[in-house]
Amino acid sequence: MGEQESGEGKKKAKVTAKATAGKSVGKTESRTALVRRARRINRELAEVYPYAHPELDFENPFQLLVATVLSAQTTDLRVNQTTPGLFAKYPTPEDLAAANPEEVEEILRPCGFFRAKTRSVIGLSQGLVERFDGEVPGRLEDLVTLPGVGRKTAFVVLGNAFGRPGITVDTHFQRLVRRWRWTEETDPDKIEAAIGALFPKGDWTDLSHHVIWHGRRICHARKPACGACPIAPLCPAYGEGETDPEKAKKLLKYEKGGFPGQRLNPPQAYLDAGGRPAPPLGAG
């Protein structure tokens, strides 16, 4: 009985310490302290997600560009379940540029907003053929001239298809960097600039993966799993979610909760770490 009480006491003390540490962060934080805390969070997340990667299946820059455009307003999993059929029928920009829109719409229907997305992917394919010899350009200035391609999409492609650093400010990224008080900006372009100033440029792409993975798996929008969060002592928002460790574990999503990630064909490093491929369309 005494040992059980001792264990429970240590558990409560640990939770209390986490809460105290988290809530004290960021109140009167200097710029130097903010930079140190932000970089430490990124290092901690790198240890938690050493296999973090883009969760869209792709084999070349064209596939990644199209998949990223399709991922708006839907999940990466749904895109990954849909694109095999699209790329089997239209493997190149030339093929998709000349496609019948109605046939493309039928393929893209599961992704939602399929008419608008059809116009975008056919339009960007036509742009690639007409202005870039059918090749995806490796410059931000060129990518954002294509239909349906903004800075977020461009940085996904540049960082993951060309190895050029960029910050991907999606909804998860926006939510977490504000929750962590890295910035108070709300405009995506201003968030990108503010966060970019905290980290070396070479860290930007992996930083984006770490933050997005954490937002999808642990630091959820409505109920963060605070009690299962590895960076709780560094988080000024600790306590906004479930702090009880056992209850928090039940909130974990994707492979940390026993589920597969978003990709049907994930990188080998992800499989080696125990991750499982997602099911194909129609399989669950």
Side-chain angles (χ1 to χ4, degrees):
M1 183 69 177
E3 289 183 0
Q4 182 178 353
E5 289 178 351
S6 176
E8 290 177 354
K10 289 181 180 179
K11 184 177 178 181
K12 289 179 180 179
K14 186 175 182 180
V15 172
T16 302
K18 276 188 175 182
T20 302
K23 289 181 178 179
S24 66
V25 169
K27 287 186 178 179
T28 57
E29 193 171 36
S30 68
R31 175 71 181 181
T32 300
L34 169 60
V35 171
R36 288 175 178 169
R37 179 169 64 88
R39 294 183 182 186
R40 183 178 172 191
I41 285 175
N42 188 39
R43 289 196 301 271
E44 295 282 347
L45 294 181
E47 292 185 7
V48 178
Y49 311 114
Y51 43 79
H53 57 268
E55 293 200 90
L56 290 167
D57 284 325
F58 69 98
E59 295 178 358
N60 54 56
F62 173 62
Q63 289 188 0
L64 179 58
L65 177 60
V66 170
T68 305
V69 170
L70 296 179
S71 69
Q73 307 278 316
T74 191
T75 64
D76 288 353
L77 172 58
R78 179 59 67 184
V79 174
N80 291 338
Q81 292 173 324
T82 305
T83 50
L86 179 71
F87 295 137
K89 190 167 186 178
Y90 310 106
T92 69
E94 290 81 3
D95 295 320
L96 194 50
N100 181 326
E102 293 182 358
E103 294 180 2
V104 176
E105 286 179 1
E106 283 306 304
I107 296 174
L108 300 186
R109 189 178 291 270
C111 287
F113 302 95
F114 58 92
R115 291 189 179 89
K117 291 180 180 181
T118 294
R119 289 193 295 271
S120 291
V121 299
I122 290 179
L124 73 83
S125 297
Q126 291 170 342
L128 292 176
V129 173
E130 294 168 2
R131 294 189 282 119
F132 300 105
D133 297 322
E135 298 292 331
V136 175
R139 297 198 318 153
L140 174 67
E141 297 83 358
D142 295 329
L143 283 169
V144 296
T145 67
L146 297 168
V149 180
R151 290 178 69 87
K152 182 185 80 171
T153 295
F155 281 132
V156 170
V157 175
L158 290 172
N160 299 289
F162 293 97
R164 296 176 183 173
I167 293 177
T168 304
V169 185
D170 74 347
T171 54
H172 299 289
F173 194 94
Q174 291 184 51
R175 181 179 77 251
L176 266 63
V177 298
R178 286 175 55 80
R179 184 173 276 172
W180 294 336
R181 296 184 192 168
W182 287 3
T183 181
E184 294 182 357
E185 300 290 353
T186 56
D187 177 77
D189 290 351
K190 292 181 179 179
I191 290 174
E192 176 196 321
I195 305 308
L198 299 177
F199 294 88
K201 190 173 183 178
D203 291 351
W204 289 356
T205 299
D206 285 342
L207 168 71
S208 299
H209 292 324
H210 298 154
V211 175
I212 292 169
W213 274 52
H214 194 61
R216 285 177 166 173
R217 288 154 172 76
I218 295 179
C219 196
H220 315 309
R222 294 185 180 178
K223 196 169 186 180
C226 293
C229 181
I231 60 166
L234 301 169
C235 180
Y238 177 85
E240 287 185 8
E242 180 57 65
T243 57
D244 180 85
E246 294 305 316
K247 292 180 180 178
K249 284 182 182 179
K250 296 179 181 179
L251 299 175
L252 299 180
K253 295 182 180 178
Y254 302 107
E255 78 285 343
K256 292 190 73 64
F259 300 101
Q262 300 276 284
R263 292 183 70 160
L264 280 69
N265 299 298
Q268 189 60 45
Y270 175 76
L271 298 174
D272 292 342
R276 292 190 287 124
L281 189 64

